Amino acid sequence: MTGHLYRIWDSDLCWSFRQSPVAMVSACISIALVLCAILAPLIAPYNPFDPSTLNLMNGFSRPMEPNAFTGETFLLGTDDQGRDMFSTILYGMRISLFVGFMAVIFAMVLGVLLGLVAAYAGGRTDAIIMRIADVQLTFPAILVAILIFGIAKGFTPVHLRDQMAIWVLILSIGLSDWVQFARVARGAALVEIQKEYVEAAILIGRRPEIIIFRHILPNVVSPILVIATISLALAIILEATLSFLGVGAPPTQPSLGTLIRIGQSFFFSGEWWILFFPAVTLLMLALSVNLLGDWLRDALNPKLDD
């Protein structure tokens, strides 16, 4: 086990990681934020989703200053409903990360599957899948996500809309982002199909699904992981944008985007912290994940080396 860990530590990827201060700092920030989101019930001093714990008298408390009515002090202040901003940000980041991860996984599975099928089948199947992808690329991702969100919400029963809002959001973001995975998977698969090991598998009569998933898929994982890492940052930003526009996470379960939308209503009246702290958290999260994706892209593509 020790020898295996040493080989991983001594690999080219880990060496590249140790030589990149930006990657190391980005990884530390990303891991810290993800752990804070996962451990939110243990770290957060309050549960902002529990109405019984809210006290309207604590509303608009300034950071690190005692409230004029209750005397309580909050690290990052409170919002208009008296919710502790520190606790709300932790829980909101939890929702943003959950939506981002699930949307990327859904887009990756769908896109990679369609890309591999298009590359292997070729002909009319390839043309249909790629033309659909080309048409979708002509529209901004946010417009596609809003359209899908509206259609999916329309099919959701009224009494289940708040409970299903997060899953509808995941579906809309995932369906707006599968094209990148499909194009990358198809391009990498077309290269692999021309190689001798795939031709040999075809000649001995292996089933297409075996060839696709056992022989081709493992050799196209690297570029897909790079796209997934970068897409995670974009999915988090897209979720925040949709929630900011009021078509994302419900107010009862606010994400970072919902918190920013609430905060901008009070920004010009002097309650700057309601907007500032969620915005800074979103910036740190998206930027660190994006920089990590950029490093991974450079590390896995030797052609980009200086």
Side-chain angles (χ1 to χ4, degrees):
M1 183 66 179
T2 304
H4 182 66
L5 292 176
Y6 176 78
R7 286 194 297 272
I8 295 176
W9 177 255
D10 200 44
S11 63
D12 293 338
L13 189 64
C14 286
W15 182 87
S16 174
F17 179 76
R18 296 197 303 271
Q19 298 300 312
S20 175
V22 174
M24 295 179 67
V25 173
S26 299
C28 291
I29 294 176
S30 301
I31 292 172
L33 291 175
V34 170
L35 287 178
C36 287
I38 294 174
L39 301 176
L42 301 177
I43 299 175
Y46 303 93
N47 183 358
F49 296 163
D50 185 3
S52 63
T53 63
L54 301 181
N55 185 355
L56 293 177
M57 299 295 291
N58 285 322
F60 299 119
S61 297
R62 300 180 70 85
M64 298 298 296
E65 294 184 11
N67 182 272
F69 299 101
T70 65
E72 294 186 63
T73 302
F74 301 89
L75 177 64
L76 302 182
T78 62
D79 62 5
D80 58 318
Q81 299 181 34
R83 292 183 297 195
D84 175 45
M85 289 303 301
F86 178 68
S87 303
T88 308
I89 288 172
L90 291 180
Y91 277 85
M93 186 167 55
R94 201 180 197 192
I95 293 177
S96 295
L97 283 169
F98 176 75
V99 171
F101 273 111
M102 294 302 295
V104 168
I105 291 173
F106 174 65
M108 180 172 61
V109 172
L110 178 62
V112 170
L113 178 62
L114 292 176
L116 293 178
V117 170
Y120 188 84
R124 182 174 299 177
T125 302
D126 182 23
I128 292 174
I129 294 176
M130 287 300 102
R131 293 303 76 76
I132 293 174
D134 292 339
V135 170
Q136 183 166 327
L137 281 177
T138 61
F139 298 94
I142 187 171
L143 295 183
V144 176
I146 291 175
L147 176 63
I148 297 172
F149 184 89
I151 295 174
K153 194 171 182 179
F155 284 100
T156 305
V158 177
H159 65 283
L160 294 176
R161 285 183 178 176
D162 282 345
Q163 295 90 327
M164 298 296 295
I166 299 298
W167 295 105
V168 172
L169 189 59
I170 291 171
L171 176 66
S172 60
I173 296 176
L175 288 178
S176 68
D177 197 38
W178 67 272
V179 175
Q180 303 296 334
F181 291 97
R183 291 169 67 90
V184 171
R186 175 181 177 272
L190 287 175
V191 175
E192 297 298 322
I193 288 173
Q194 305 300 323
K195 295 183 178 180
E196 295 180 353
Y197 73 93
V198 175
E199 295 178 354
I202 295 174
L203 288 175
I204 64 176
R206 288 224 159 187
R207 297 195 304 273
E209 60 271 19
I210 298 297
I211 296 174
I212 290 174
F213 293 107
R214 183 172 295 180
H215 297 287
I216 299 177
L217 180 59
N219 292 288
V220 302
V221 168
S222 294
I224 291 172
L225 290 178
V226 175
I227 295 296
T229 306
I230 297 175
S231 294
L232 176 59
L234 297 177
I236 292 172
I237 294 175
L238 183 56
E239 180 279 325
T241 304
L242 292 173
S243 296
F244 180 81
L245 295 174
V247 293
T252 54
Q253 292 182 312
S255 65
L256 291 178
T258 308
L259 295 178
I260 294 173
R261 176 171 59 85
I262 295 173
Q264 64 91 25
S265 303
F266 305 101
F267 184 72
F268 293 103
S269 60
E271 290 80 16
W272 55 268
W273 61 90
I274 303 178
L275 170 64
F276 178 76
F277 292 118
V280 170
T281 304
L282 177 63
L283 175 63
M284 292 174 56
L285 180 61
L287 183 60
S288 60
V289 173
N290 194 45
L291 291 175
L292 200 58
D294 288 342
W295 162 79
L296 188 61
R297 178 197 60 196
D298 297 342
L300 294 178
N301 191 349
K303 293 181 181 180
L304 296 177
D305 291 341
D306 294 332

